[in-house]
Amino acid sequence: MSETRKRKRVGDRESRRGGESRPLAPSATRPVAHFDKVFEKIYRLVLRIPRGRVMTYGQIARLLEDRYSPRLVGWAMHATPHDERNIPWHRVINSRGGVSTGRVILAEPDRQRLMLEAEGVVFDARGHCDLSVYQWSPRQRAARARLESLRANKTAARSNAVDKAVKKTGTADKKSRTRGTRER
């Protein structure tokens, strides 16, 4: 087969696939707005992370929806807008407890680690923090709040039950006392 026929076949395949060799032009059908919505969900969650605590890319992906990947969370952190919200992108780390920005921020590869250390996060010699100490979960916070409210409800229910029992006992004692005096 001649070289021109081979090129023609390759060109035909590319046109059948929709011209993958050309860059996609922005259009109304491209889901750019969808990524903005997903990124905003991620940013809202990251804004809740307290100082001195961290979350992992995978943890955020699991909390939002299982169809999102940790890599998408990383893209969102890399695209963090510089606005008045001041999103704490540095509080999101990898699943080993290490920072992953060394290859992304070439001018300051240790910037994320330094920012976390300034907030009190301690890293070991390998550059990892202890996730059992520093990892934050909004579900733990919600579960703790629910547990405290249940305890308060149980305490209130117990005191109400004790009050009712005292009232019943007091009424029963009066009845037994009055019966005893009648029989005598």
Side-chain angles (χ1 to χ4, degrees), residues 42-58:
I42 293 169
Y43 297 148
R44 279 195 302 267
L45 184 56
V46 171
L47 281 165
R48 294 174 54 198
I49 304 172
R51 285 180 57 83
R53 302 298 295 275
V54 296
M55 288 182 79
T56 66
Y57 298 106

Side-chain angles (χ1 to χ4, degrees), residues 136-164:
W136 180 77
S137 174
R139 289 187 177 167
Q140 286 176 347
R141 183 177 169 190
R144 211 175 292 130
R146 266 186 263 131
L147 182 63
E148 288 174 8
S149 69
L150 285 173
R151 285 182 183 158
N153 289 342
K154 280 185 180 180
T155 306
R158 282 185 192 150
S159 66
N160 287 341
V162 168
D163 290 343
K164 287 180 183 178

